[in-house]
Amino acid sequence: MSDDSTAGPPAPGTPFPADGYVGDPAVRAEWDERYTDRQQLWSGRPNGALVAEAAGLAPGRVLDVGCGEGADAVWLARRGWDVTALEVSGVALERAAGHARDAGLAVRWVHASLTEAALPPASFDLVSAQYPALLRTPDAAAERALLAAVAPGGVLLLVHHAGMDTHREDESGFDPADYVWPSTVAALLDEDWEVEVDEQRPRVAPEGGAGAHHTDDLVLRVRRLR
Ligand SMILES: C[S@@+](CC[C@H](N)C(=O)[O-])C[C@H]1O[C@@H](n2cnc3c(N)ncnc32)[C@H](O)[C@@H]1O
């Protein structure tokens, strides 16, 4: 957690402390570098799958995992959600917090890796992870953290780029086996969960931004029954 791991997320609007990062420094450095390379990395618009899937949900507490530059967090806050947004890159979080400030919206910013954030368990009505680039571990820590954050009756929405999960390891070093995908989360579901959506569908493509070339989404939406 960004500032006090025992007390849950800080109050909305609390600026994240620049030196309070919790997680692997190498992961933060890698993503900070990616963000620093460009003035704006993503499109600045909320993700289409989130907009579609959240439309029918009553606003409550939401966790945005890997919030990037904050377009989803801002969109959710504007719609009345109580938003906690978590991200490893401090560069991205600065931008996200700026967008929320400009819009006059309060969001809890958590500068941490998902698995080390000490999030309050079972407390979010929606956990949204949009193209989250989470590294897999043998104990499935990231998958379990996504599921553990969802409150009874709540929803986990995990969206990824279709095809990347079956991409062959290439010279870039990208190996799909290193990452969390909807299928690796779905594999952990037990009778406490109901699968509401598990499909590939055309993506509402953003105008511009890195990753705009991806045409299809994998969408996993699961509800925690108890
Ligand atoms: C492909 S980007 C997607 C950003 C945003 N969700 C969006 O759709 O614009 C993946 C994001 O996950 C963040 N990230 C990577 N590893 C993470 C981790 N272990 N915990 C939290 N965020 C992480 C990266 O810094 C990056 O911002």
Side-chain angles (χ1 to χ4, degrees):
M1 191 60 60
S2 56
D3 59 351
D4 181 350
S5 60
T6 59
T14 307
F16 63 92
D19 57 358
Y21 173 71
V22 186
D24 183 343
V27 175
R28 172 176 65 173
E30 182 191 331
W31 281 97
D32 272 348
E33 198 181 320
R34 259 194 95 178
Y35 281 104
T36 305
D37 272 355
R38 298 222 206 155
Q39 209 169 16
Q40 179 179 330
L41 188 55
W42 312 115
S43 70
R45 293 173 179 273
N47 284 300
L50 171 66
V51 171
E53 295 298 327
L57 301 176
R61 295 187 70 188
V62 59
L63 173 67
D64 183 2
V65 177
C67 68
E69 292 162 326
D72 287 352
V74 166
W75 183 84
L76 287 159
R78 195 171 271 136
R79 268 144 196 85
W81 288 84
D82 176 352
V83 184
T84 299
L86 177 144
E87 174 53 58
V88 289
S89 168
V91 177
L93 271 185
E94 295 251 17
R95 293 178 190 170
H99 294 314
R101 228 178 4 254
D102 291 349
L105 296 164
V107 171
R108 291 180 196 81
W109 304 107
V110 179
H111 192 195
S113 173
L114 171 66
T115 51
E116 280 143 287
L119 294 161
S123 55
F124 293 95
D125 304 297
L126 173 63
V127 173
S128 171
Q130 306 287 319
Y131 319 105
L134 297 167
L135 290 171
R136 279 183 87 191
T137 53
D139 60 354
E143 288 94 333
R144 292 185 197 287
L146 288 172
L147 293 168
V150 181
V155 163
L156 167 64
L157 176 64
L158 172 58
V159 178
H160 240 304
H161 299 302
M164 285 185 77
D165 54 334
T166 50
H167 198 275
R168 290 242 192 95
E169 184 177 2
D170 58 24
E171 62 283 351
S172 73
F174 174 79
D175 182 354
D178 292 339
Y179 291 92
V180 169
W181 303 106
S183 58
T184 69
V185 172
L188 294 179
L189 300 174
D190 60 18
E191 65 281 0
D192 288 350
W193 295 86
E194 181 178 47
V195 178
E196 295 185 332
V197 177
D198 185 6
E199 66 183 28
Q200 179 171 332
R201 64 166 81 137
R203 183 184 189 205
V204 181
E207 289 164 27
H213 58 286
H214 291 285
T215 58
D216 288 273
D217 282 332
L218 295 175
V219 179
L220 178 68
R221 172 180 161 152
V222 294
R223 190 176 292 276
R224 184 174 191 165
L225 301 176
R226 54 193 151 255

